[in-house]
Amino acid sequence: MNPQTPGPQQLPPPQPSGLPPLSGPAATPPSAQQYQAVADTTSAAGNQFSVDYLNQIAPPMPQKTINRFAVFGMIAGVIALGVFLMVVMTGSGRPDVSSQTKLIQARIATLQSVTAEQQKHLKQNELVSVNATLSTTLTSMMSSLNDLKKAQGIKSVPLVQSTTEKAYQTSLSGKFNDAYLTGTLDRTYAGEMAYQLAILKSMVQKLTSISPNSQSIKTFHESSIPSIDVASKQFSDFSASK
């Protein structure tokens, strides 16, 4: 063989993708860490391809659809139930003529007891006169109320104060007795009785609203309200002057 004739060229061994190429006889072979990095990259790419491919060929998941008619029916049912409960509560809580008449009768009796009890404790002659007039007014109202009950066919029975009304009367009497002991009864009594008469007036007006077309209730209203207004103004004027 001619020594000048070149022999067959030695080709470098193939390099894994991602590794630096070997150049020249002094090139350093890839390290084990580089081989592992290339293997990991190839594995990750393969796994990603597998996941994407499976996602593409998998059948679509069925989506749950909401029945609009069922939703509307449910909402309508809730609204109807709310309206029904409101009507029931309103109807059951509305007083009738008989029950409201009994409440007014009990309150008149309470005020009659208080005015009689405190009459002897009041000092100012003006206030004593106003309180005496109120006592007469309350007696007249009680008589008119009994006439109303007869006209309405409400059975007349002896008045028995409820537990609530008894407690109300006890609290009111206690307030006036405490004021008497501290020497402030006249001023306290005038202001409080003006307030109590305002409550009594609202009770009479409520009775009228229950049965506005009743002639007997109209008669009671027309005879009671003006007298209440006069007494209330007299107590308010006295309280304002002290």
Side-chain angles (χ1 to χ4, degrees):
M1 178 179 297
N2 188 351
Q4 295 181 351
T5 303
Q9 297 182 352
Q10 299 293 327
L11 298 177
Q15 301 297 318
S17 176
L19 294 180
L22 297 176
S23 58
T28 304
S31 63
Q33 290 80 1
Q34 289 176 321
Y35 275 109
Q36 184 62 42
V38 172
D40 292 343
T41 302
T42 304
S43 176
N47 291 338
Q48 182 63 36
F49 173 78
S50 300
V51 172
D52 292 341
Y53 177 72
L54 291 176
N55 289 336
Q56 292 177 2
I57 65 174
M61 296 294 293
Q63 296 182 354
K64 295 182 179 181
T65 58
I66 300 177
N67 191 327
R68 295 184 178 180
F69 293 102
V71 174
F72 291 152
M74 185 182 298
I75 295 175
V78 172
I79 295 176
L81 179 60
V83 172
F84 173 75
L85 293 176
M86 185 179 298
V87 171
V88 171
M89 294 175 63
T90 302
S92 62
R94 182 180 180 181
D96 55 16
V97 172
S98 178
S99 60
Q100 186 65 17
T101 300
K102 292 178 181 178
L103 291 176
I104 295 175
Q105 187 178 23
R107 184 53 52 87
I108 292 175
T110 294
L111 296 180
Q112 282 181 314
S113 176
V114 170
T115 54
E117 180 184 8
Q118 300 302 325
Q119 177 73 10
K120 59 183 177 292
H121 294 155
L122 300 174
K123 295 181 179 180
Q124 297 290 328
N125 291 333
E126 179 185 355
L127 188 58
V128 171
S129 177
V130 172
N131 193 57
T133 302
L134 174 61
S135 179
T136 302
T137 297
L138 293 173
T139 301
S140 178
M141 286 185 65
M142 187 68 80
S143 177
S144 298
L145 191 62
N146 288 329
D147 293 339
L148 184 154
K149 291 171 65 178
K150 291 179 181 179
Q152 292 287 329
I154 300 173
K155 185 178 180 180
S156 181
V157 295
L159 177 64
V160 177
Q161 297 286 70
S162 65
T163 303
T164 302
E165 192 65 30
K166 285 181 180 179
Y168 191 90
Q169 179 177 335
T170 301
S171 176
L172 191 59
S173 296
K175 181 177 183 179
F176 291 149
N177 291 334
D178 291 343
Y180 173 70
L181 293 176
T182 58
T184 60
L185 176 60
D186 284 13
R187 182 173 67 253
T188 302
Y189 186 82
E192 183 63 32
M193 290 307 293
Y195 173 70
Q196 293 298 326
L197 289 174
I199 295 177
L200 180 61
K201 179 179 179 179
S202 68
M203 295 173 71
V204 174
Q205 291 174 331
K206 186 174 183 177
L207 174 64
T208 305
S209 67
I210 294 173
S211 183
N213 297 324
S214 172
Q215 185 58 47
S216 58
I217 293 179
K218 286 182 179 180
T219 301
F220 175 72
H221 180 275
E222 293 172 356
S223 64
S224 301
I225 295 300
S227 300
I228 294 176
D229 287 340
V230 170
S232 179
K233 185 177 185 306
Q234 289 174 336
F235 279 118
S236 296
D237 291 344
F238 179 87
S239 180
S241 63
K242 303 303 177 182

